[in-house]
Amino acid sequence: MEQVIYRVRPGNTVFAIAQFFGTTPQEIANANALVYPYTIFPGQELVIPVEEISSPSYYVVRPGDSMWSIANRYGIDVAQILKLNNLENPNIIYPGQILRLTQN
């Protein structure tokens, strides 16, 4: 089993994070010594146990993101993201923009 370090964002819950990564709230709780009810805080770093690290189909750009950081986070080539989204300039993305990351 692999592990991902995830920084909690405002509004996140252990349940939602578990769904996103395809794991269970209990596995996240065990990996981080969380006690029920699972209280987490924005900025907190959690260890997320995952079976396989894979890219989501879509990604919502956040403030501070760059095309390079998104590609690096998911192990994807910047050129692939540009092609999938019909973009020419990797330096022009904006918060809230939805990017396709996989062909599926």
Side-chain angles (χ1 to χ4, degrees):
M1 186 168 285
E2 298 183 55
Q3 293 183 337
V4 173
I5 303 298
Y6 177 78
R7 184 178 304 271
V8 176
R9 294 178 181 9
N12 281 161
T13 64
V14 173
F15 180 78
I17 294 167
Q19 279 190 313
F20 181 81
F21 285 101
T23 187
T24 67
Q26 187 60 49
E27 288 177 346
I28 293 173
N30 292 345
N32 294 279
L34 300 176
V35 179
Y36 189 83
Y38 310 129
T39 304
I40 56 176
F41 304 95
Q44 179 179 359
E45 289 188 345
L46 295 175
V47 173
I48 311 296
V50 294
E51 289 295 325
E52 178 182 335
I53 298 174
S54 61
S55 301
S57 295
Y58 294 92
Y59 179 80
V60 178
V61 177
R62 299 179 186 130
D65 279 343
S66 68
M67 191 69 75
W68 181 87
S69 68
I70 296 166
N72 187 50
R73 181 178 302 141
Y74 296 108
I76 303 170
D77 186 51
V78 169
Q80 177 184 347
I81 298 172
L82 293 173
K83 181 179 177 184
L84 288 170
N85 293 279
N86 297 317
L87 300 174
E88 293 183 16
N89 188 338
N91 298 311
I92 301 177
I93 59 172
Y94 55 89
Q97 181 177 7
I98 298 172
L99 297 175
R100 178 183 284 276
L101 299 183
T102 61
Q103 192 70 358
N104 311 17

